[in-house]
């Protein structure tokens, strides 16, 4: 699935009567089967952009094209599991009405390495396991597009590395179109087929196609430096 934002503005009315422009005339294309990673300072509009792409929020002006009919899976920064439901029921929740839901939930839980924890309750899981359940839930109804807002932000370095590897394989194996927001430049370089830097409600730069596996140490360093500079200059 592809998507395209055309001249999207998003304004919020603030309590003091002023208007906050979170997105400013933003145009951006998400090509089919790309893995786009969005980087940018806190408050620059990343979550707003993702929520608009997901259809959870509407632009004030401008339009979102593509997306027709296809389903979109969303993973938020926190796992957002229902504490009173088991791991499997949390995944089944999004498959309501599907007669195969138990089997499908079992399958995605196996894919994220949690088949032994199907019956566990959310409070018995570690942070990384809970985030895996959230990923399984987003994958369960076989979305064509996966949107993720700092899904590994709260995890330790090693767990994050492990989940990044799993996510990368899953996205490739399923031929998904993915968009991920992060603050971690190395995570961006590892996962992305292209990196977009945002600043102050706008897209400041988008890289060429990248493939971190085929990059030399020096190339990776240079890319990291240029992305950091772009974020820094973005205000
Ligand atoms: N519902 C809302 N009402 C009012 N202002 C909002 C709302 N949602 C976001 N904003 C404002 O829009 C701007 C962009 O917010 P957004 O959450 O998109 O930033 P972000 O880039 O995701 O930041 P972070 O990296 O901290 O998550 C911020 O100034 C924020 O205060
Ligand atoms: Mg955010």
């Amino acid at each position: 699935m592809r998507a395209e934002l055309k001249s999207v503005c998003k304004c919020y009315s603030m309590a003091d009567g002023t208007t906050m422009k979170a997105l400013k005339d933003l145009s951006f294309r998400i090509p089919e089967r790309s893995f786009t990673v969005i980087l940018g300072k806190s408050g620059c509009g990343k979550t707003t952009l993702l929520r608009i792409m997901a259809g959870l929020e509407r632009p004030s002006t401008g339009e979102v094209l593509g997306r027709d009919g296809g389903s979109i899976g969303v993973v938020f920064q926190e796992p957002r599991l229902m504490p009173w439901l088991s791991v499997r029921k949390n995944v089944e929740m999004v498959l309501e009405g599907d007669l195969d839901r138990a089997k499908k939930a079992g399958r995605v839980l196996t894919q994220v390495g949690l088949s032994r924890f199907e019956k566990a309750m959310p409070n018995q899981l570690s942070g990384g396991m809970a985030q895996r359940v959230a990923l399984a839930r987003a994958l369960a109804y076989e979305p064509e597009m996966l949107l993720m807002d700092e899904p590994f932000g709260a995890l330790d370095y090693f767990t994050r590395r492990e989940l990044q590897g799993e996510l990368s394989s899953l996205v490739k194996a399923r031929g998904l179109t993915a968009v991920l927001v992060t603050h971690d430049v190395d995570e961006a370089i590892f996962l992305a087929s292209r990196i977009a830097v945002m600043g102050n409600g706008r897209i400041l730069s988008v890289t060429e196609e990248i493939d971190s596996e085929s990059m030399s140490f020096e190339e990776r360093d240079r890319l990291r430096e240029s992305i950091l500079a772009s974020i820094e200059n973005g205000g």
Side-chain angles (χ1 to χ4, degrees), residues 74-211:
V74 185
V75 182
F76 300 95
Q77 191 167 357
E78 339 74 51
R80 300 196 185 185
L81 305 179
M82 302 294 153
W84 59 89
L85 294 177
S86 71
V87 163
R88 188 157 60 82
K89 292 285 180 201
N90 261 284
V91 176
E92 278 187 27
M93 206 173 65
V94 300
L95 297 169
E96 208 179 329
D98 187 332
L99 294 176
D100 272 340
R101 61 183 180 274
K103 206 158 74 189
K104 284 185 182 169
R107 198 183 315 143
V108 281
L109 283 167
T110 303
Q111 279 179 338
V112 299
L114 285 180
S115 52
R116 283 177 43 229
F117 294 89
E118 282 190 19
K119 294 202 176 73
M121 299 305 284
N123 67 2
Q124 299 171 310
L125 305 175
S126 70
M129 287 156 76
Q131 206 51 277
R132 279 193 168 89
V133 179
L135 180 60
R137 185 178 53 190
L139 291 170
Y141 55 90
E142 299 177 351
E144 290 167 36
M145 188 181 270
L146 189 57
L147 303 177
M148 297 162 281
D149 196 355
E150 296 188 50
F152 311 138
L155 305 177
D156 70 87
Y157 175 81
F158 294 102
T159 311
R160 210 159 68 207
R161 287 292 287 258
E162 200 180 319
L163 284 181
Q164 285 163 4
E166 285 174 18
L167 176 65
S168 176
S169 329
L170 273 167
V171 166
K172 279 183 192 144
R174 291 181 169 225
L176 294 178
T177 306
V179 182
L180 178 133
V181 167
T182 181
H183 281 117
D184 181 338
V185 180
D186 290 303
E187 175 167 288
I189 294 173
F190 174 71
L191 288 171
S193 65
R194 46 177 218 149
I195 298 174
V197 173
M198 272 189 85
N200 206 2
R202 296 190 170 91
I203 300 281
L204 301 175
S205 63
V206 184
T207 61
E208 306 268 288
E209 188 93 357
I210 53 181
D211 173 15

Side-chain angles (χ1 to χ4, degrees), residues 10-14 20-23 40-51 57 77 149-150 181-183 198 201:
K10 182 70 188 180
C11 298
Y12 291 110
S13 310
M14 306 304 281
M20 158 80 215
K21 286 187 180 163
L23 299 179
K41 287 184 187 165
S42 183
C44 73
K46 303 180 297 296
T47 296
T48 307
L49 174 63
L50 210 70
R51 289 178 58 82
E57 233 163 311
Q77 191 167 357
D149 196 355
E150 296 188 50
V181 167
T182 181
H183 281 117
M198 272 189 85

Side-chain angles (χ1 to χ4, degrees), residues 208-225:
E208 306 268 288
E209 188 93 357
I210 53 181
D211 173 15
S212 67
E213 273 174 43
S214 67
M215 281 165 98
S216 70
F217 223 65
E218 290 74 24
E219 284 171 322
R220 209 172 301 198
D221 266 353
R222 234 175 296 137
L223 179 61
R224 186 185 298 110
E225 289 308 315

